[in-house]
Amino acid sequence: MPGRLPVARRCAEMSAPASLSVAKKNYSRDPVTEPSKALFLSYASQDVGPARLICEALRAAGIEVWFDQSELRGGDVWDQKIRQQIKDCALFVPVISANTAARHEGYFRLEWDLADQRTHMIARNRAFIVPVCIDGTPDSGTDVPESFARVQWSRLPGGETPPAFVERIARLLSPETGRAAAHTAAVSRRRMPAISLLIAALAVIALGNFALDRFFLWKRPAVGAEISGQPIIQDAPRTSIAVMPFANLTGDVTKDYLGDGMAEEVINTLTKIPGLQVPARTSSFAYKARNTDIRQIARDLHVGAVLEGSVRSAGDRIRVTAQLIDAQTGLHLWSQTYDRKFTDLFRLQDDLAMAIVEALQINMSGASPGSVIQTAPSRDVEAYNLYLQGFSAMLRGTEQSLHLALDLYQQALARDPAFARAYAARSRARLTFLVRGYPLANARDDAERDAKRALALAPSLGVAHQALGNVSALQANWLQAEVSYRAALAADPTNPDMHSGYAMVVLAPTGQLRHADLEGNKAYLLAPASVNHIGIVSLLSFFTGHDADALKFANLALALGAPANTGGLYQLDVLTAVRSSRYAEAEDHAITALSPAVRDAGGAEVMRRVFGALGDSSQIPDARQALLNLVHGLGVSHIDPGSRRDFIVDFAMLGALDPAYELANPYLDEFARSGSGGGAAWSFLWLPEMRPFRKDPRFQEFVTRLNFIAYWKQYGPPDECDLPGDKLTCH
């Protein structure tokens, strides 16, 4: 985790404090339209010699290089200096070697993650990253971030840096190149007004949207030209394929689940093929119902081919048409139509998967087709059909549709009591009742029972491990939640939902915000068109105080169809306005977000007083009393969880810690009894605005009751806090 990994030296010599001052001065600069002139050189400590040679050659040509040979310790020092430098630099040059291949952790890996994130923040301006190989490592299987594999590589044996490489860097840093990149990025992104993506969506996204799917699967780049100092061109491998949801041609929209289920099973089968790379369902299904060019999808997901198709059913028969498309040319590589009885559905899916393998001419490394074809998800095809219908109903998320989902899952399990996926999905449905506030007796206990039953039947089923992780979070069993999510990620490492779930269900509630931010960005890189994952990146950026990034991602989510009126904890608009002292604007956003019950109780006037007091401290006593009267008038037990969290934050900002704890403690009691409100919702404790709440002596007892101490003793304390013994101290 950031701040607690072994210290690694990094190539870059911040030779004078003035360089850091420049970085701080430019921190608020738009990284797209006003690129810095500096270059950041990232390397493992063992490679300091070759890295210094590269640095010296570039500096001799008048190029500014950030190069720090000191050891930066963890926590705030690392975050403030390194994150800021990477955010502000014009080029990021990672030095790749056997030393970096041998270490899967360390600060240089965190630097790589941050650079990977920024690549996407600047509208895929891939010239930002310039990887350099100093040995033959790429030929022996180095793991690197996804974006590194999409850009030009250079080979500089031993760090020897020829003029051709220096000239290339100079061109990339030239004003003309910067303006061209800025123009491209400005044209490609869509400017949207500030919106109300809500932090309360943490619980719904993380716990309610987990069943589709810690360590990020970095892909080895294909090595091309070996000319010293010249680029090594990277292309998406032919043996990589995205499977799109199959179109429903039945004429009945209620049967969309057939096409989705067909695509998902093909994905599940293809992922078992040695040598074949297949994005997870969430990654490809994000383009459903969008008229996106196949070649753009392929570029986003870094695949060489795309499979699309259609499903038509009539009576007891099903017809499936599939076509494989070359991502570079848009031309068809192969197409086939299958007409079978519905009872032969699983055989059809296997036949389709193996036809794709043959069309792509994939080397299966000696494995036989029979050894990679997966076992049918259920022994009863009608049970599978009921499961697909239940899954479709569950995704709608209404109280009525969730009850329908439970009924359909029950029917499926009655036909096949050994159907592991149905148990895992039913666990998810029960949890969704909890996080959405819908009544359901014994929801948490029954969800745990279903998750454990799924794991007993299928110990390697990633979604079952995730289900148990989510249940554990609602039980405040954070250690088990961590173990379960690690198992889920090991079973399904390329599934973005696993990374975002880990970020929101385990890391953010326990205060590991920087680590959560990295995991959220990994999910986004795996599913760049997913509104949910874009929203999560926005929320985590907001939690870590990077408001500009948060709003950029929020605008992107809205542009891709995110609802602008979702209810919940606190709008990004409210606190970003407060952080900029725009209190009138914050007031307007807060009033808009009020629940009907709070509005009817006079909440709008109270919000005017609260945000007015933030701008005029003389009004604070009146605002505190008005908010306290509102809470007492509503009745603590009758305030919805989202409004309750809002009020706790309001009290904290007003310095009214007694009423803040008086409101928070009953909320904790309710969570302990039933899991109501969702474990992910405790992320609000780590907002910057909650710092007074955290520094109060009562916070120790609060986090002890939340069962955080045992987790922190094993995995380290939350950001900006220390844990000597069992005593938490927050700065």
Side-chain angles (χ1 to χ4, degrees), residues 572-585:
L572 291 177
D573 309 27
V574 175
L575 291 184
T576 52
V578 168
R579 292 172 186 178
S580 299
S581 301
R582 304 191 311 273
Y583 300 115
E585 179 183 332

Side-chain angles (χ1 to χ4, degrees), residues 372-383:
V372 295
I373 294 301
Q374 67 170 4
T375 303
S378 172
R379 65 190 183 192
D380 184 288
V381 71
E382 181 55 30

Side-chain angles (χ1 to χ4, degrees), residues 207 431 444-445 448 452 465-486 501-502 505-507 509-510 668 671-675 678-680 682 703-712 714-715:
L207 289 174
L431 294 183
R444 186 174 60 177
D445 292 343
E448 180 182 23
K452 289 182 175 179
H465 284 290
Q466 189 180 31
L468 185 58
N470 290 341
V471 172
S472 299
L474 291 180
Q475 296 170 327
N477 187 351
W478 307 103
L479 287 171
Q480 181 57 54
E482 176 81 24
V483 169
S484 294
Y485 260 98
R486 291 194 178 203
Y502 181 42
V505 173
V506 181
L507 298 174
T510 57
L668 178 53
F671 171 74
R673 284 193 301 270
S674 67
W682 294 110
V703 296
T704 299
R705 291 185 60 205
L706 267 172
N707 204 28
F708 283 155
I709 302 297
Y711 180 87
W712 291 333
Q714 182 160 342
Y715 295 104

